[in-house]
Amino acid sequence: MKLRSTAALALITGMTFGALSSVADAKSTLTFWHSFGGENGKALERLVAKFEAQNPEIDIDALYTGNYEDIVTKLQAAIPARRHPDAVILEVTRYGLFAERGVLEDLSPYLEKDPIKNDLYPFALEVGQYKGKNFIVPFNSSTPVLYYNKDIFARAGVEATKLNTWDGVRETAVTIHGKLGGEGVYGIEPMGQFARWAVTMLNGSDLINTKTGDIIIDSPATIEAYEWMTDFVKELKVTSLDPVTDEKAGKALFTGGREAMAIESTGNLGGYRKALGDNLGVAPLPCNSENCAVPIGGAGIGILSAIETEKKDAIWKFISFMTSPESNAHWFASTGYLPINKKTLDVAEAKQVFDADARSKVAFEQLGIARGRPRPPVVTWMRTTEYDVWEQIALGQRGVKEALTEFATRAREQAAKN
């Protein structure tokens, strides 16, 4: 950690320069880019400190580098300048861009030799695979769930019983906004990108067909899903417009008691639970098709292929530690991200939270219908571009079918370049 330099200065007294150099040379410093701030960042710091205490010969320089998209942008700029990190957190649909170009190390040989492979859930292994090889090992995994504010529901005189269907979610949002809108309370948060992907999958579609690789963002089922989501903003007017252009604004409205519902990642559970306490409710997403499925989100740790073998070995030691039952238990208990290790819930810290708080079980039980998403290089471009497309649709600048048809055409052209 960065505190290492302060500690080193304290050791200078009574030591020769040569002796100090030997100590420094014996220590391997590894740069790790990540995307965790707030409470999640504090949980990560605790895990890094524990790893360093157990492995004094390794120093992890963990650097917050922005959100998932920021990391992609900064990594793309850092690679040609040879200023890239040794290890990096990459979101589970965006790492294919780097795997395709040989930037990431194939971790399959490490996994094959590590007993941790047999302890990871199949979904955790699957989302780290691209073209039959493992390029990331998932660290934080999630699914989207439906959060709701019990106090707002009580004030509006409605029950959460209707949240098991999409018609019920719609009706509840309209009712609450109708009764409390004058007090500045919105019925539901506009769908963020993770929620939009979930609703699309629950309607039997996707951005890309995971089997054929065909881009289907303009399919009838996708268009129908986007029309349903757009209605909350344009027709029903039960949402704030702020989160349409800034998803962080939605999180602030929900934790501030101004949104009745929000479809967000389980990675927000820790922060939402802290902000709302017992007023926080969590429900699974309703199924809306025979092909009922929700996306697995989150990210995993990858190793840059250009670094020395000794560093790769040291980073793998770090990855193995971070996916161990004990580390995963602390991460789950602190953040709400899903257990990725089969033995995690046997650890007292995780078991206590899981048994005591039914909200922690919702996403875990939803794993039965969860699946990974497509991850070819074009997905990175599609995810970046989709924000603008959604903004145009939600703000009424373009129709759903027109916008998604044009988006699909551009995506197919982009895919042909990769």
Side-chain angles (χ1 to χ4, degrees), residues 191-252:
M191 308 294 168
Q193 191 177 83
F194 198 21
R196 296 194 291 275
W197 207 319
V199 172
T200 299
M201 289 176 66
L202 285 162
N203 205 41
S205 192
D206 209 320
L207 273 70
I208 297 176
N209 186 305
T210 53
K211 294 181 179 179
T212 66
D214 294 332
I215 292 169
I216 54 174
I217 190 69
D218 57 345
S219 70
T222 303
I223 292 171
E224 182 181 57
Y226 271 74
E227 288 174 338
W228 184 85
M229 293 184 286
T230 304
D231 278 350
F232 285 104
V233 185
K234 288 177 57 180
E235 305 301 326
L236 303 176
K237 301 185 187 304
V238 296
T239 72
S240 167
L241 291 178
D242 292 341
V244 172
T245 56
D246 179 9
E247 291 188 5
K248 291 182 180 179
K251 294 177 175 63

Side-chain angles (χ1 to χ4, degrees), residues 150-396:
K150 294 180 181 179
D151 177 63
I152 292 177
F153 272 55
R155 286 162 52 198
V158 298
E159 302 286 340
T161 52
K162 293 184 178 181
L163 301 185
N164 61 344
T165 69
W166 287 113
D167 286 342
V169 171
R170 179 188 175 106
E171 180 183 338
T172 301
V174 171
T175 300
I176 291 176
H177 189 67
K179 292 184 176 182
L180 302 178
E183 301 176 26
V185 175
Y186 297 99
I188 193 169
E189 182 181 306
M191 308 294 168
Q193 191 177 83
F194 198 21
R196 296 194 291 275
W197 207 319
V199 172
T200 299
M201 289 176 66
L202 285 162
N203 205 41
S205 192
D206 209 320
L207 273 70
I208 297 176
N209 186 305
T210 53
K211 294 181 179 179
T212 66
D214 294 332
I215 292 169
I216 54 174
I217 190 69
D218 57 345
S219 70
T222 303
I223 292 171
E224 182 181 57
Y226 271 74
E227 288 174 338
W228 184 85
M229 293 184 286
T230 304
D231 278 350
F232 285 104
V233 185
K234 288 177 57 180
E235 305 301 326
L236 303 176
K237 301 185 187 304
V238 296
T239 72
S240 167
L241 291 178
D242 292 341
V244 172
T245 56
D246 179 9
E247 291 188 5
K248 291 182 180 179
K251 294 177 175 63
L253 286 170
F254 184 73
T255 56
R258 294 188 56 205
E259 286 177 340
M261 295 180 284
I263 297 176
E264 294 278 4
S265 164
T266 52
N268 293 322
L269 178 57
Y272 285 178
R273 187 164 47 199
K274 184 176 181 179
L276 298 178
D278 292 339
N279 281 328
L280 177 68
V282 183
L285 298 186
C287 285
N288 193 40
S289 69
E290 295 179 358
N291 301 313
C292 187
V294 294
I296 293 174
I301 305 174
I303 299 176
L304 278 292
S305 59
I307 66 173
E308 301 90 339
T309 299
E310 292 76 12
K311 282 193 170 186
K312 292 175 184 176
D313 294 343
I315 294 170
W316 179 260
K317 198 171 185 179
F318 176 62
I319 292 175
S320 186
F321 168 85
M322 295 294 271
T323 53
S324 68
E326 294 75 19
S327 296
N328 193 222
H330 183 69
W331 187 245
F332 162 72
S334 301
T335 67
Y337 279 110
L338 295 172
I340 60 171
N341 191 305
K342 300 172 188 175
K343 299 177 181 178
T344 294
L345 295 179
D346 294 331
V347 179
E349 183 179 16
K351 182 175 175 55
Q352 182 178 359
V353 172
F354 193 76
D355 291 344
D357 190 348
R359 296 172 295 188
S360 298
K361 300 179 182 179
V362 173
F364 187 75
E365 294 170 351
Q366 196 172 247
L367 279 175
I369 60 167
R371 64 175 172 82
R373 293 170 285 170
R375 57 208 74 138
V378 71
V379 173
T380 300
W381 178 89
M382 289 183 71
R383 295 202 63 178
T384 300
T385 307
E386 193 269 351
Y387 287 112
D388 293 332
V389 175
W390 166 250
E391 184 175 322
Q392 293 167 5
I393 292 171
L395 297 182

